[in-house]
Every structure is written in C-alpha cells, then in structure tokens.
Amino acid sequence: MHSTLVRAQNVFGFLTTVAFFVAGLVALSSLLYPADVNVDVIGTNNVKIAKGRAHQYYTSKVQEYAVLYFDLEADLSSLFNWNTKQVFAYVSATYPGSKYTDNEIVIWDTILPSRSASKLILKNERAKYSINDITGKFAGRDNVTLSFHWNVQPHVGRLTWGAVGLTKGVKFPGVERPGGKKEAAK
Amino acid sequence: MDALGLSKLRHLKPRQLLSQVLNFALILSTAFMLWKGLSVATDSPSPIVVVLSGSMEPAFQRGDLLFLWNRNLELDSPPTPGTRVGEIVVYNVIGKDIPIVHRVVRKHQGPKTPLHLLTKGDNNHADDTELYARGRWYLDREKEVIGSVVGYVPFVGYVTIMLSEHPWMKTALLGIMGLLVIVQRE
C-alpha cells in the first residue's frame, strides 16, 4: 500500500488537481477586471483608389486598391491585468456591396505585449495591409466605416473581444489616373 | 506470461475477469462519450486542438491547448453575431490533413455566396493564400473551418507533440508501463 510508487502516484495526482484548480481560479479572476477602454479619435480623411497588381501572388490580375491613411488615439491599459498575456489591436474597414453584401477587412494591426505599450497614438498612419475587394472593384463604394477592435489573450482561460469607434460612413472616391498607380501597387 | 504479470489473470474467476473487462470498457466508453458530447455541444468535429506551429506567436506557442466553438456560422442572417474579422479559427484545407490555427483578416459574404474568409498568422508576414487549395483565394467557412478559438490552456498538449515527433518516447512510455506491472505485483 505504501510503496514508493503509490506515494509518487498520489503526489502527482495531487499536483495535477491543484494545478487544475489554480488555473481555473486564475481564469475566473479575469471577470474581476472590467475593461474600460478609451478611444478618443478614429477617423480617416485621406483615401485614394488606384489600380494595381498584387505581385506577392502568382497572378497578374489588375484590381482596384484603396490607399488609406487614418488617425487613432486609444488607451488600452485597462485591459492589462495579471492574466493578460497580450492584446491584439486592429482596425477594420466595413463596407457593403452588391454580390457580397457584407464585407469586413483588417487594414492595420499590432500586438501589444505589455501595459507600458498600451497607448496608441497614430497620426495619418498608412494602412498596413493592401486594401482590395474580393471582386477586384472598389471605386465609388459608399458607406465605408472604420472601427477599432481588440482581442485580449489570457495566460489561461477565455479569450475576449471588444470594439468601439465606428466612424461615420465615408465614400470611396473614383479611380485615380495613372499617376497614383505606383503607390497602390506597393 | 509470468514476466508480464499475466499469471494473475489466470487465478481470477470468470465472473471477476468479466467485471474487469467491463470496467475497462466503461472507462473507454466514458472518455469517448465525453469527447463526442463536447463535439455535439460545440458543433465541431474536433473541439479541442493542440497548436502545432509558431505562426501565432506570441499568443499561442507549440503545445498549447485550444477550445473551439463552431456554432457561429452566420450562414442565414448576416446581422446576427457570427464569425467576425479578428477571430482565430482552426481550418483544415481540403486535401491536406494538418489543422491550421490563424486569425481571420477578411470576410466577404453575400446572400447567395458562402461566407468567404481570409486568414493570416499573427507571426507571419503574408496572409494564408498560398496555404489554401490550388486556385483558391479564400476559405469556405462552412466546409473548411472546424471552429473558432474561445478558450486557452498553455502547454498541456505538448505531450502529444513529443509522442508524435519522437517515436522512441512511445516505446519508452510502454516500457515503463510494462515495468510498473511487474514491479506492482506483490
């Protein structure tokens, strides 16, 4: 009954039980820290549409790209508590269409590893990713809105998401003349 | 026979032997029913997955355990909350067998088209277009995605990676178990 093996088994069993309960309590403790995110500004007043090629893929299809600059001021420090591993922050553009009526694409994102890096102040920031539609056509789309989102990644437990700061719908302009072509293809 | 400790079995009465077998079958079927029950509850063929690559670092490392939820298809009515941009989904590309855990960066949906998603690993520079089946630019939410990540436990799944990547460990594990059977005999 009291062999080394039984003792080892008991210790290991106790260890896993304790680890399980501590992890459960840590996961639940996230509920004690309500998120209070401040987003002061999100907006864009600088959008151009230009034709270009997506040269990172094996295709020579010419499509319309939006070249977009935006402003953002946000303070995400309240999302950091002892069970926060990182916060993934991103800006998305939502727009309607005819065949695909419901579209949303991420135009910029960043990983915030700690509270000290949790304040975002972006002025006239260029979109990080190329902005093109599944249909290839973009010009003249009405009611394009930008929104700011975050995803809290815990050390253990539930992942949470949040979003604020929908801009009023802006209209994408018509296609630029060949002068703007180079910039769009970049 | 004797070295494996099986001689003990010969001394059992048939009734005892049968109840042993029944016990073993009960344990197996309980585990199986728990897994399948979770599968039904989450509507996912594989409700718990182990992270295999570092493409989502620092959020997920190899060996982390993820809990999936697959009842957010949003196939009929776009206004209801469903799969959103910024969610982390697990997908199996048709014809390939490795589940991939990446973040949704684009979403295009229409009344007559399936929900199209584009994904990207946080730690990758380019999106996943090259990982998809030939000629495909987007994922089909219903056919290829097996769930969205809702819960996270670090490191626990590393055992399965060790066992599948280092086959000698399986042998070692079996050896230790066999040894225990012999040692345990009193």
Side-chain angles (χ1 to χ4, degrees), chain A residues 1 3 5-6 9 23 54 56-59 63 85-86 88 90 92 95 98-107 109 111 113 128-135 147 149 151 153-161 163, chain B residues 56-61 64 66 74 78-79 84-88 103-114 116 118 120 122-130 137-138 149-154 180 183-184 186:
Chain A
M1 276 293 110
S3 65
L5 190 74
V6 172
Q9 265 178 352
Q56 71 263 46
Y57 306 123
Y58 310 108
T59 175
Q63 38 184 328
K85 191 176 183 186
Q86 67 158 40
F88 184 80
Y90 53 105
S92 76
Y95 58 90
S98 52
K99 188 184 176 198
Y100 297 90
T101 50
D102 191 19
N103 307 282
E104 188 173 14
I105 64 180
V106 171
I107 63 168
D109 63 20
I111 293 169
K128 198 168 158 185
Y129 303 110
S130 60
I131 308 172
N132 59 313
D133 187 47
I134 188 169
T135 59
S147 49
H149 306 251
N151 165 217
Q153 164 72 36
H155 285 296
V156 60
R158 202 165 69 94
L159 279 77
T160 51
W161 278 264
Chain B
M56 283 295 283
E57 278 189 32
F60 303 146
Q61 270 104 6
D64 293 348
L66 305 176
E74 196 186 335
R84 304 280 313 263
V85 155
E87 259 179 43
I88 304 161
R103 199 181 293 274
V104 176
V105 294
R106 286 188 190 192
K107 160 190 157 170
H108 300 285
Q109 187 180 20
K112 288 185 187 128
T113 54
H116 286 75
L118 178 69
K120 176 183 170 292
D122 289 358
N123 200 21
N124 292 354
H125 285 292
D127 58 48
D128 291 351
T129 313
E130 302 203 357
W137 292 70
Y138 291 89
V149 178
V150 289
Y152 170 84
V153 179
L180 286 186
V183 172
Q184 248 178 339
E186 263 132 55

